[in-house]
Amino acid sequence: MAPPRPLASALRALLLVPTLLLAACGISRGPAVPVALENDATVFGNPALRTWDTALNQPFMDQIVRESMREVDLRREAGETGPLPTANYLAISGGGADGAYGAGILCGWTAAGTRPEFKVVTGISTGALTAPFAFLGPAYDERLRKVYTSVSTREIATSRGLWGAVFDDAMMDTVPLRKLMKTLVDDDMMQAIARESQRGRLLLVATTNLDANRGVIWNVGAIASSGDPKALELIHEILIASAAIPGAFPPVMIDVELDGKTYQEMHVDGGAKAQVFLYPPSLDLRNMAESRGIHRDRVAYVIRNARLAPEWSDVQRRTLSIAGRAISSLLASQGIGDLYRIYLITKRDGVDYNLAYIPDEFTVQPTQDFDPVYMTQLFDMGFKAANTPGGYPWQKRPPGFVDGEPVALPPSMPPSTPAPTK
């Protein structure tokens, strides 16, 4: 999810290890996939269910094409011969509790009566937790609103303390999140995702494979449609892994198969590789579609659950303070770079680019990592911005880019004001 507070805490614990002269033995795990074989490991014995983020494997590509063509086939079966409708894509970024802003936009969009059905929905980190609800549409808005306005930190994770941080695999325990996930994403929801997949729609979520040091894109719709008895469990693991902040939340160990043997991969927050993704740059969308006789308009909506202006802070002259601030800066810069990457891809492929992000004027500070008061205010801001006659004020270019010419970024934001408490 990439919020700065848990990451800073995790870093602080790691830096204390040599200071305390403690040597943790580490938690046992299954054997990792050998590097020479990492391209061949599969889940459920099906190589089409996932791919590396920068090198798409052919079975995955074939599956994507089959799913995309289902829409065309269904229209032909129904006797529809007119032009294909606009294909709408939604990409939702990480941001921890700031995911409340994107959730508010989606619910406000529904209230305005202008929210489209999305051909493709992608998510990373908190965006991965939002993505299934966004994919299934307005019928799941109330569930989405509840998650991002009423869930507190203790319903996400509990602290393991310093001893746990040293000898365990993370500062916090995500047992509460696992319980919540089973309640939110149940078998009925998985079946609904499978039905939408059969209509030619795609739900994609990204994680980071720490063993391979590579991003992984999972076709959640194909997993839901697989019929495997462990499909729902795997979906839970993928969603939790995508939100597993390294050092703060435990990694998720995912079992894979290769030549009759079982291995374990260590997966963490997809934000370790990217804050948001639309589709891999190596996917030449326009040429791929036109080579199959598909001609249609395409619109991309990118929700960045973060502020884009630099946030000022009085950094203390201390190792932990400096290191934590540097990590926050790196994540913010990575997020802006992702927006530029997506912009260039959409320009190449003729896709209309639309960007949303938290306005600079929202300066409220949370009192905990997942503060319901803070999240409700952020949700309400997104809701009101989208529920207007003119619709949400989507930006047509990434920050600092106007008419092809770079311009100055907004000035640094002033220190935030504390959130009101009940």
Side-chain angles (χ1 to χ4, degrees), residues 115-150:
R115 176 175 164 182
E117 179 180 83
F118 300 108
K119 173 75 171 176
V120 179
V121 177
T122 71
I124 284 181
S125 201
T126 195
L129 303 182
T130 304
F133 304 103
F135 181 73
L136 293 177
Y140 286 79
D141 277 5
E142 180 55 30
R143 201 179 296 192
L144 181 62
R145 183 200 64 78
K146 184 177 180 180
V147 170
Y148 281 101
T149 60
S150 62

PDB file of all heavy atoms in Angstrom, residues 115-150:
ATOM      1  N   ARG A 115     -21.264   6.828 -14.570  1.00  0.00           N
ATOM      2  CA  ARG A 115     -20.171   5.862 -14.456  1.00  0.00           C
ATOM      3  C   ARG A 115     -20.304   4.778 -15.523  1.00  0.00           C
ATOM      4  O   ARG A 115     -21.341   4.114 -15.629  1.00  0.00           O
ATOM      5  CB  ARG A 115     -20.176   5.245 -13.059  1.00  0.00           C
ATOM      6  CG  ARG A 115     -19.140   4.153 -12.845  1.00  0.00           C
ATOM      7  CD  ARG A 115     -19.153   3.713 -11.396  1.00  0.00           C
ATOM      8  NE  ARG A 115     -18.485   2.454 -11.171  1.00  0.00           N
ATOM      9  CZ  ARG A 115     -18.413   1.853  -9.981  1.00  0.00           C
ATOM     10  NH1 ARG A 115     -18.989   2.429  -8.926  1.00  0.00           N
ATOM     11  NH2 ARG A 115     -17.791   0.709  -9.844  1.00  0.00           N
ATOM     12  N   PRO A 116     -19.261   4.560 -16.304  1.00  0.00           N
ATOM     13  CA  PRO A 116     -19.331   3.524 -17.346  1.00  0.00           C
ATOM     14  C   PRO A 116     -19.002   2.146 -16.793  1.00  0.00           C
ATOM     15  O   PRO A 116     -18.501   2.012 -15.676  1.00  0.00           O
ATOM     16  CB  PRO A 116     -18.256   3.985 -18.339  1.00  0.00           C
ATOM     17  CG  PRO A 116     -17.215   4.619 -17.460  1.00  0.00           C
ATOM     18  CD  PRO A 116     -17.975   5.294 -16.340  1.00  0.00           C
ATOM     19  N   GLU A 117     -19.288   1.139 -17.590  1.00  0.00           N
ATOM     20  CA  GLU A 117     -18.777  -0.190 -17.287  1.00  0.00           C
ATOM     21  C   GLU A 117     -17.364  -0.262 -17.843  1.00  0.00           C
ATOM     22  O   GLU A 117     -17.113   0.184 -18.958  1.00  0.00           O
ATOM     23  CB  GLU A 117     -19.650  -1.266 -17.941  1.00  0.00           C
ATOM     24  CG  GLU A 117     -19.163  -2.681 -17.680  1.00  0.00           C
ATOM     25  CD  GLU A 117     -20.040  -3.728 -18.324  1.00  0.00           C
ATOM     26  OE1 GLU A 117     -19.854  -4.002 -19.531  1.00  0.00           O
ATOM     27  OE2 GLU A 117     -20.920  -4.273 -17.620  1.00  0.00           O
ATOM     28  N   PHE A 118     -16.441  -0.822 -17.055  1.00  0.00           N
ATOM     29  CA  PHE A 118     -15.047  -0.854 -17.461  1.00  0.00           C
ATOM     30  C   PHE A 118     -14.703  -2.181 -18.128  1.00  0.00           C
ATOM     31  O   PHE A 118     -14.982  -3.250 -17.589  1.00  0.00           O
ATOM     32  CB  PHE A 118     -14.138  -0.623 -16.250  1.00  0.00           C
ATOM     33  CG  PHE A 118     -14.374   0.692 -15.570  1.00  0.00           C
ATOM     34  CD1 PHE A 118     -15.007   0.740 -14.332  1.00  0.00           C
ATOM     35  CD2 PHE A 118     -13.997   1.882 -16.170  1.00  0.00           C
ATOM     36  CE1 PHE A 118     -15.244   1.949 -13.703  1.00  0.00           C
ATOM     37  CE2 PHE A 118     -14.229   3.101 -15.555  1.00  0.00           C
ATOM     38  CZ  PHE A 118     -14.858   3.134 -14.316  1.00  0.00           C
ATOM     39  N   LYS A 119     -14.108  -2.070 -19.289  1.00  0.00           N
ATOM     40  CA  LYS A 119     -13.649  -3.252 -20.011  1.00  0.00           C
ATOM     41  C   LYS A 119     -12.500  -3.913 -19.258  1.00  0.00           C
ATOM     42  O   LYS A 119     -12.408  -5.141 -19.186  1.00  0.00           O
ATOM     43  CB  LYS A 119     -13.192  -2.829 -21.414  1.00  0.00           C
ATOM     44  CG  LYS A 119     -12.524  -3.913 -22.240  1.00  0.00           C
ATOM     45  CD  LYS A 119     -13.508  -4.908 -22.789  1.00  0.00           C
ATOM     46  CE  LYS A 119     -12.833  -5.858 -23.784  1.00  0.00           C
ATOM     47  NZ  LYS A 119     -13.762  -6.890 -24.252  1.00  0.00           N
ATOM     48  N   VAL A 120     -11.625  -3.089 -18.691  1.00  0.00           N
ATOM     49  CA  VAL A 120     -10.463  -3.571 -17.947  1.00  0.00           C
ATOM     50  C   VAL A 120     -10.342  -2.781 -16.651  1.00  0.00           C
ATOM     51  O   VAL A 120     -10.469  -1.555 -16.659  1.00  0.00           O
ATOM     52  CB  VAL A 120      -9.162  -3.418 -18.765  1.00  0.00           C
ATOM     53  CG1 VAL A 120      -7.958  -3.910 -17.956  1.00  0.00           C
ATOM     54  CG2 VAL A 120      -9.252  -4.146 -20.092  1.00  0.00           C
ATOM     55  N   VAL A 121     -10.103  -3.465 -15.540  1.00  0.00           N
ATOM     56  CA  VAL A 121      -9.809  -2.820 -14.256  1.00  0.00           C
ATOM     57  C   VAL A 121      -8.500  -3.402 -13.741  1.00  0.00           C
ATOM     58  O   VAL A 121      -8.335  -4.625 -13.694  1.00  0.00           O
ATOM     59  CB  VAL A 121     -10.931  -3.048 -13.224  1.00  0.00           C
ATOM     60  CG1 VAL A 121     -10.538  -2.429 -11.878  1.00  0.00           C
ATOM     61  CG2 VAL A 121     -12.249  -2.452 -13.709  1.00  0.00           C
ATOM     62  N   THR A 122      -7.573  -2.529 -13.371  1.00  0.00           N
ATOM     63  CA  THR A 122      -6.301  -2.975 -12.805  1.00  0.00           C
ATOM     64  C   THR A 122      -6.097  -2.336 -11.437  1.00  0.00           C
ATOM     65  O   THR A 122      -6.588  -1.230 -11.180  1.00  0.00           O
ATOM     66  CB  THR A 122      -5.107  -2.607 -13.704  1.00  0.00           C
ATOM     67  OG1 THR A 122      -4.891  -1.192 -13.659  1.00  0.00           O
ATOM     68  CG2 THR A 122      -5.345  -3.037 -15.141  1.00  0.00           C
ATOM     69  N   GLY A 123      -5.358  -3.031 -10.566  1.00  0.00           N
ATOM     70  CA  GLY A 123      -5.119  -2.487  -9.237  1.00  0.00           C
ATOM     71  C   GLY A 123      -3.797  -2.942  -8.664  1.00  0.00           C
ATOM     72  O   GLY A 123      -3.337  -4.060  -8.926  1.00  0.00           O
ATOM     73  N   ILE A 124      -3.197  -2.065  -7.892  1.00  0.00           N
ATOM     74  CA  ILE A 124      -1.978  -2.356  -7.150  1.00  0.00           C
ATOM     75  C   ILE A 124      -2.183  -1.909  -5.711  1.00  0.00           C
ATOM     76  O   ILE A 124      -2.710  -0.823  -5.465  1.00  0.00           O
ATOM     77  CB  ILE A 124      -0.763  -1.633  -7.754  1.00  0.00           C
ATOM     78  CG1 ILE A 124      -0.289  -2.332  -9.029  1.00  0.00           C
ATOM     79  CG2 ILE A 124       0.396  -1.569  -6.764  1.00  0.00           C
ATOM     80  CD1 ILE A 124       0.922  -1.698  -9.682  1.00  0.00           C
ATOM     81  N   SER A 125      -1.791  -2.741  -4.760  1.00  0.00           N
ATOM     82  CA  SER A 125      -1.809  -2.384  -3.347  1.00  0.00           C
ATOM     83  C   SER A 125      -3.233  -2.076  -2.888  1.00  0.00           C
ATOM     84  O   SER A 125      -4.114  -2.905  -3.044  1.00  0.00           O
ATOM     85  CB  SER A 125      -0.850  -1.219  -3.098  1.00  0.00           C
ATOM     86  OG  SER A 125      -0.469  -1.157  -1.751  1.00  0.00           O
ATOM     87  N   THR A 126      -3.476  -0.889  -2.323  1.00  0.00           N
ATOM     88  CA  THR A 126      -4.857  -0.585  -1.925  1.00  0.00           C
ATOM     89  C   THR A 126      -5.756  -0.568  -3.158  1.00  0.00           C
ATOM     90  O   THR A 126      -6.946  -0.862  -3.077  1.00  0.00           O
ATOM     91  CB  THR A 126      -4.930   0.758  -1.170  1.00  0.00           C
ATOM     92  OG1 THR A 126      -6.180   0.854  -0.496  1.00  0.00           O
ATOM     93  CG2 THR A 126      -4.808   1.954  -2.104  1.00  0.00           C
ATOM     94  N   GLY A 127      -5.181  -0.261  -4.317  1.00  0.00           N
ATOM     95  CA  GLY A 127      -5.941  -0.324  -5.567  1.00  0.00           C
ATOM     96  C   GLY A 127      -6.371  -1.735  -5.903  1.00  0.00           C
ATOM     97  O   GLY A 127      -7.428  -1.952  -6.507  1.00  0.00           O
ATOM     98  N   ALA A 128      -5.560  -2.731  -5.505  1.00  0.00           N
ATOM     99  CA  ALA A 128      -5.935  -4.124  -5.720  1.00  0.00           C
ATOM    100  C   ALA A 128      -7.134  -4.498  -4.858  1.00  0.00           C
ATOM    101  O   ALA A 128      -7.990  -5.291  -5.272  1.00  0.00           O
ATOM    102  CB  ALA A 128      -4.754  -5.043  -5.402  1.00  0.00           C
ATOM    103  N   LEU A 129      -7.214  -3.931  -3.646  1.00  0.00           N
ATOM    104  CA  LEU A 129      -8.355  -4.198  -2.772  1.00  0.00           C
ATOM    105  C   LEU A 129      -9.618  -3.522  -3.299  1.00  0.00           C
ATOM    106  O   LEU A 129     -10.728  -4.022  -3.111  1.00  0.00           O
ATOM    107  CB  LEU A 129      -8.048  -3.716  -1.354  1.00  0.00           C
ATOM    108  CG  LEU A 129      -6.794  -4.318  -0.701  1.00  0.00           C
ATOM    109  CD1 LEU A 129      -6.629  -3.794   0.719  1.00  0.00           C
ATOM    110  CD2 LEU A 129      -6.838  -5.844  -0.718  1.00  0.00           C
ATOM    111  N   THR A 130      -9.466  -2.375  -3.967  1.00  0.00           N
ATOM    112  CA  THR A 130     -10.598  -1.655  -4.543  1.00  0.00           C
ATOM    113  C   THR A 130     -11.066  -2.286  -5.842  1.00  0.00           C
ATOM    114  O   THR A 130     -12.264  -2.284  -6.161  1.00  0.00           O
ATOM    115  CB  THR A 130     -10.206  -0.187  -4.816  1.00  0.00           C
ATOM    116  OG1 THR A 130      -9.733   0.422  -3.617  1.00  0.00           O
ATOM    117  CG2 THR A 130     -11.374   0.613  -5.357  1.00  0.00           C
ATOM    118  N   ALA A 131     -10.134  -2.826  -6.616  1.00  0.00           N
ATOM    119  CA  ALA A 131     -10.402  -3.252  -7.989  1.00  0.00           C
ATOM    120  C   ALA A 131     -11.577  -4.221  -8.151  1.00  0.00           C
ATOM    121  O   ALA A 131     -12.398  -4.038  -9.065  1.00  0.00           O
ATOM    122  CB  ALA A 131      -9.127  -3.836  -8.605  1.00  0.00           C
ATOM    123  N   PRO A 132     -11.715  -5.267  -7.325  1.00  0.00           N
ATOM    124  CA  PRO A 132     -12.845  -6.181  -7.535  1.00  0.00           C
ATOM    125  C   PRO A 132     -14.199  -5.487  -7.401  1.00  0.00           C
ATOM    126  O   PRO A 132     -15.137  -5.793  -8.153  1.00  0.00           O
ATOM    127  CB  PRO A 132     -12.654  -7.232  -6.433  1.00  0.00           C
ATOM    128  CG  PRO A 132     -11.197  -7.196  -6.126  1.00  0.00           C
ATOM    129  CD  PRO A 132     -10.801  -5.755  -6.266  1.00  0.00           C
ATOM    130  N   PHE A 133     -14.317  -4.541  -6.471  1.00  0.00           N
ATOM    131  CA  PHE A 133     -15.575  -3.812  -6.301  1.00  0.00           C
ATOM    132  C   PHE A 133     -15.830  -2.899  -7.502  1.00  0.00           C
ATOM    133  O   PHE A 133     -16.955  -2.795  -7.999  1.00  0.00           O
ATOM    134  CB  PHE A 133     -15.536  -2.999  -5.013  1.00  0.00           C
ATOM    135  CG  PHE A 133     -15.245  -3.813  -3.784  1.00  0.00           C
ATOM    136  CD1 PHE A 133     -13.992  -3.794  -3.194  1.00  0.00           C
ATOM    137  CD2 PHE A 133     -16.221  -4.618  -3.224  1.00  0.00           C
ATOM    138  CE1 PHE A 133     -13.712  -4.557  -2.069  1.00  0.00           C
ATOM    139  CE2 PHE A 133     -15.959  -5.387  -2.093  1.00  0.00           C
ATOM    140  CZ  PHE A 133     -14.699  -5.356  -1.522  1.00  0.00           C
ATOM    141  N   ALA A 134     -14.784  -2.232  -7.952  1.00  0.00           N
ATOM    142  CA  ALA A 134     -14.916  -1.358  -9.121  1.00  0.00           C
ATOM    143  C   ALA A 134     -15.280  -2.171 -10.355  1.00  0.00           C
ATOM    144  O   ALA A 134     -16.074  -1.743 -11.197  1.00  0.00           O
ATOM    145  CB  ALA A 134     -13.602  -0.607  -9.361  1.00  0.00           C
ATOM    146  N   PHE A 135     -14.706  -3.360 -10.470  1.00  0.00           N
ATOM    147  CA  PHE A 135     -14.950  -4.237 -11.611  1.00  0.00           C
ATOM    148  C   PHE A 135     -16.405  -4.685 -11.663  1.00  0.00           C
ATOM    149  O   PHE A 135     -17.026  -4.703 -12.742  1.00  0.00           O
ATOM    150  CB  PHE A 135     -14.019  -5.449 -11.497  1.00  0.00           C
ATOM    151  CG  PHE A 135     -14.132  -6.441 -12.615  1.00  0.00           C
ATOM    152  CD1 PHE A 135     -13.628  -6.153 -13.875  1.00  0.00           C
ATOM    153  CD2 PHE A 135     -14.712  -7.693 -12.405  1.00  0.00           C
ATOM    154  CE1 PHE A 135     -13.704  -7.080 -14.907  1.00  0.00           C
ATOM    155  CE2 PHE A 135     -14.790  -8.627 -13.429  1.00  0.00           C
ATOM    156  CZ  PHE A 135     -14.283  -8.318 -14.687  1.00  0.00           C
ATOM    157  N   LEU A 136     -16.971  -5.017 -10.511  1.00  0.00           N
ATOM    158  CA  LEU A 136     -18.337  -5.527 -10.471  1.00  0.00           C
ATOM    159  C   LEU A 136     -19.397  -4.436 -10.516  1.00  0.00           C
ATOM    160  O   LEU A 136     -20.578  -4.727 -10.698  1.00  0.00           O
ATOM    161  CB  LEU A 136     -18.527  -6.403  -9.230  1.00  0.00           C
ATOM    162  CG  LEU A 136     -17.727  -7.712  -9.255  1.00  0.00           C
ATOM    163  CD1 LEU A 136     -17.922  -8.486  -7.961  1.00  0.00           C
ATOM    164  CD2 LEU A 136     -18.096  -8.567 -10.454  1.00  0.00           C
ATOM    165  N   GLY A 137     -18.997  -3.180 -10.350  1.00  0.00           N
ATOM    166  CA  GLY A 137     -19.911  -2.075 -10.607  1.00  0.00           C
ATOM    167  C   GLY A 137     -20.678  -1.556  -9.409  1.00  0.00           C
ATOM    168  O   GLY A 137     -20.404  -1.924  -8.253  1.00  0.00           O
ATOM    169  N   PRO A 138     -21.650  -0.686  -9.668  1.00  0.00           N
ATOM    170  CA  PRO A 138     -22.375   0.025  -8.609  1.00  0.00           C
ATOM    171  C   PRO A 138     -23.043  -0.853  -7.562  1.00  0.00           C
ATOM    172  O   PRO A 138     -23.251  -0.415  -6.428  1.00  0.00           O
ATOM    173  CB  PRO A 138     -23.422   0.825  -9.397  1.00  0.00           C
ATOM    174  CG  PRO A 138     -22.776   1.066 -10.731  1.00  0.00           C
ATOM    175  CD  PRO A 138     -22.014  -0.193 -11.015  1.00  0.00           C
ATOM    176  N   ALA A 139     -23.375  -2.074  -7.900  1.00  0.00           N
ATOM    177  CA  ALA A 139     -24.024  -2.955  -6.922  1.00  0.00           C
ATOM    178  C   ALA A 139     -23.138  -3.205  -5.709  1.00  0.00           C
ATOM    179  O   ALA A 139     -23.638  -3.595  -4.638  1.00  0.00           O
ATOM    180  CB  ALA A 139     -24.392  -4.286  -7.576  1.00  0.00           C
ATOM    181  N   TYR A 140     -21.838  -2.970  -5.853  1.00  0.00           N
ATOM    182  CA  TYR A 140     -20.894  -3.203  -4.760  1.00  0.00           C
ATOM    183  C   TYR A 140     -20.396  -1.899  -4.134  1.00  0.00           C
ATOM    184  O   TYR A 140     -19.469  -1.918  -3.333  1.00  0.00           O
ATOM    185  CB  TYR A 140     -19.710  -4.040  -5.260  1.00  0.00           C
ATOM    186  CG  TYR A 140     -20.084  -5.486  -5.474  1.00  0.00           C
ATOM    187  CD1 TYR A 140     -20.774  -5.886  -6.618  1.00  0.00           C
ATOM    188  CD2 TYR A 140     -19.781  -6.459  -4.526  1.00  0.00           C
ATOM    189  CE1 TYR A 140     -21.137  -7.208  -6.809  1.00  0.00           C
ATOM    190  CE2 TYR A 140     -20.139  -7.780  -4.706  1.00  0.00           C
ATOM    191  CZ  TYR A 140     -20.830  -8.155  -5.851  1.00  0.00           C
ATOM    192  OH  TYR A 140     -21.192  -9.468  -6.032  1.00  0.00           O
ATOM    193  N   ASP A 141     -21.035  -0.775  -4.477  1.00  0.00           N
ATOM    194  CA  ASP A 141     -20.601   0.517  -3.945  1.00  0.00           C
ATOM    195  C   ASP A 141     -20.714   0.600  -2.429  1.00  0.00           C
ATOM    196  O   ASP A 141     -19.837   1.162  -1.763  1.00  0.00           O
ATOM    197  CB  ASP A 141     -21.417   1.653  -4.570  1.00  0.00           C
ATOM    198  CG  ASP A 141     -20.879   2.069  -5.927  1.00  0.00           C
ATOM    199  OD1 ASP A 141     -19.939   1.419  -6.422  1.00  0.00           O
ATOM    200  OD2 ASP A 141     -21.415   3.038  -6.510  1.00  0.00           O
ATOM    201  N   GLU A 142     -21.784   0.065  -1.881  1.00  0.00           N
ATOM    202  CA  GLU A 142     -21.981   0.175  -0.438  1.00  0.00           C
ATOM    203  C   GLU A 142     -20.899  -0.604   0.310  1.00  0.00           C
ATOM    204  O   GLU A 142     -20.387  -0.148   1.334  1.00  0.00           O
ATOM    205  CB  GLU A 142     -23.366  -0.336  -0.042  1.00  0.00           C
ATOM    206  CG  GLU A 142     -23.667  -0.249   1.463  1.00  0.00           C
ATOM    207  CD  GLU A 142     -23.487   1.150   2.040  1.00  0.00           C
ATOM    208  OE1 GLU A 142     -23.688   2.136   1.300  1.00  0.00           O
ATOM    209  OE2 GLU A 142     -23.141   1.247   3.234  1.00  0.00           O
ATOM    210  N   ARG A 143     -20.533  -1.746  -0.218  1.00  0.00           N
ATOM    211  CA  ARG A 143     -19.463  -2.531   0.402  1.00  0.00           C
ATOM    212  C   ARG A 143     -18.138  -1.768   0.311  1.00  0.00           C
ATOM    213  O   ARG A 143     -17.352  -1.747   1.256  1.00  0.00           O
ATOM    214  CB  ARG A 143     -19.357  -3.894  -0.289  1.00  0.00           C
ATOM    215  CG  ARG A 143     -18.673  -4.957   0.548  1.00  0.00           C
ATOM    216  CD  ARG A 143     -18.596  -6.297  -0.151  1.00  0.00           C
ATOM    217  NE  ARG A 143     -19.911  -6.887  -0.404  1.00  0.00           N
ATOM    218  CZ  ARG A 143     -20.074  -8.150  -0.789  1.00  0.00           C
ATOM    219  NH1 ARG A 143     -19.028  -8.943  -0.958  1.00  0.00           N
ATOM    220  NH2 ARG A 143     -21.284  -8.622  -1.015  1.00  0.00           N
ATOM    221  N   LEU A 144     -17.903  -1.123  -0.828  1.00  0.00           N
ATOM    222  CA  LEU A 144     -16.680  -0.352  -1.021  1.00  0.00           C
ATOM    223  C   LEU A 144     -16.649   0.843  -0.083  1.00  0.00           C
ATOM    224  O   LEU A 144     -15.622   1.137   0.544  1.00  0.00           O
ATOM    225  CB  LEU A 144     -16.606   0.120  -2.476  1.00  0.00           C
ATOM    226  CG  LEU A 144     -15.371   0.923  -2.891  1.00  0.00           C
ATOM    227  CD1 LEU A 144     -14.105   0.100  -2.738  1.00  0.00           C
ATOM    228  CD2 LEU A 144     -15.524   1.399  -4.331  1.00  0.00           C
ATOM    229  N   ARG A 145     -17.765   1.540   0.035  1.00  0.00           N
ATOM    230  CA  ARG A 145     -17.842   2.695   0.935  1.00  0.00           C
ATOM    231  C   ARG A 145     -17.561   2.288   2.374  1.00  0.00           C
ATOM    232  O   ARG A 145     -16.805   2.970   3.095  1.00  0.00           O
ATOM    233  CB  ARG A 145     -19.235   3.334   0.847  1.00  0.00           C
ATOM    234  CG  ARG A 145     -19.388   4.599   1.701  1.00  0.00           C
ATOM    235  CD  ARG A 145     -20.840   4.900   1.978  1.00  0.00           C
ATOM    236  NE  ARG A 145     -21.464   3.848   2.767  1.00  0.00           N
ATOM    237  CZ  ARG A 145     -21.318   3.693   4.075  1.00  0.00           C
ATOM    238  NH1 ARG A 145     -20.549   4.529   4.765  1.00  0.00           N
ATOM    239  NH2 ARG A 145     -21.919   2.715   4.713  1.00  0.00           N
ATOM    240  N   LYS A 146     -18.127   1.164   2.800  1.00  0.00           N
ATOM    241  CA  LYS A 146     -17.944   0.722   4.180  1.00  0.00           C
ATOM    242  C   LYS A 146     -16.474   0.437   4.474  1.00  0.00           C
ATOM    243  O   LYS A 146     -15.954   0.809   5.533  1.00  0.00           O
ATOM    244  CB  LYS A 146     -18.788  -0.520   4.437  1.00  0.00           C
ATOM    245  CG  LYS A 146     -18.734  -1.007   5.881  1.00  0.00           C
ATOM    246  CD  LYS A 146     -19.664  -2.203   6.092  1.00  0.00           C
ATOM    247  CE  LYS A 146     -19.606  -2.679   7.543  1.00  0.00           C
ATOM    248  NZ  LYS A 146     -20.513  -3.847   7.765  1.00  0.00           N
ATOM    249  N   VAL A 147     -15.790  -0.222   3.532  1.00  0.00           N
ATOM    250  CA  VAL A 147     -14.374  -0.555   3.731  1.00  0.00           C
ATOM    251  C   VAL A 147     -13.550   0.702   3.947  1.00  0.00           C
ATOM    252  O   VAL A 147     -12.674   0.755   4.825  1.00  0.00           O
ATOM    253  CB  VAL A 147     -13.828  -1.341   2.521  1.00  0.00           C
ATOM    254  CG1 VAL A 147     -12.310  -1.479   2.610  1.00  0.00           C
ATOM    255  CG2 VAL A 147     -14.472  -2.713   2.449  1.00  0.00           C
ATOM    256  N   TYR A 148     -13.814   1.754   3.156  1.00  0.00           N
ATOM    257  CA  TYR A 148     -12.952   2.929   3.187  1.00  0.00           C
ATOM    258  C   TYR A 148     -13.465   4.070   4.065  1.00  0.00           C
ATOM    259  O   TYR A 148     -12.931   5.173   4.008  1.00  0.00           O
ATOM    260  CB  TYR A 148     -12.711   3.426   1.758  1.00  0.00           C
ATOM    261  CG  TYR A 148     -11.668   2.590   1.050  1.00  0.00           C
ATOM    262  CD1 TYR A 148     -12.028   1.600   0.141  1.00  0.00           C
ATOM    263  CD2 TYR A 148     -10.310   2.762   1.324  1.00  0.00           C
ATOM    264  CE1 TYR A 148     -11.069   0.821  -0.495  1.00  0.00           C
ATOM    265  CE2 TYR A 148      -9.348   1.989   0.699  1.00  0.00           C
ATOM    266  CZ  TYR A 148      -9.732   1.029  -0.213  1.00  0.00           C
ATOM    267  OH  TYR A 148      -8.769   0.254  -0.825  1.00  0.00           O
ATOM    268  N   THR A 149     -14.470   3.805   4.876  1.00  0.00           N
ATOM    269  CA  THR A 149     -14.907   4.836   5.823  1.00  0.00           C
ATOM    270  C   THR A 149     -15.040   4.318   7.251  1.00  0.00           C
ATOM    271  O   THR A 149     -15.143   5.119   8.177  1.00  0.00           O
ATOM    272  CB  THR A 149     -16.270   5.440   5.399  1.00  0.00           C
ATOM    273  OG1 THR A 149     -17.264   4.407   5.355  1.00  0.00           O
ATOM    274  CG2 THR A 149     -16.175   6.111   4.036  1.00  0.00           C
ATOM    275  N   SER A 150     -15.035   3.015   7.441  1.00  0.00           N
ATOM    276  CA  SER A 150     -15.290   2.504   8.795  1.00  0.00           C
ATOM    277  C   SER A 150     -14.214   1.552   9.311  1.00  0.00           C
ATOM    278  O   SER A 150     -14.188   1.232  10.506  1.00  0.00           O
ATOM    279  CB  SER A 150     -16.650   1.781   8.842  1.00  0.00           C
ATOM    280  OG  SER A 150     -16.662   0.657   7.981  1.00  0.00           O
TER     281      SER A 150
END
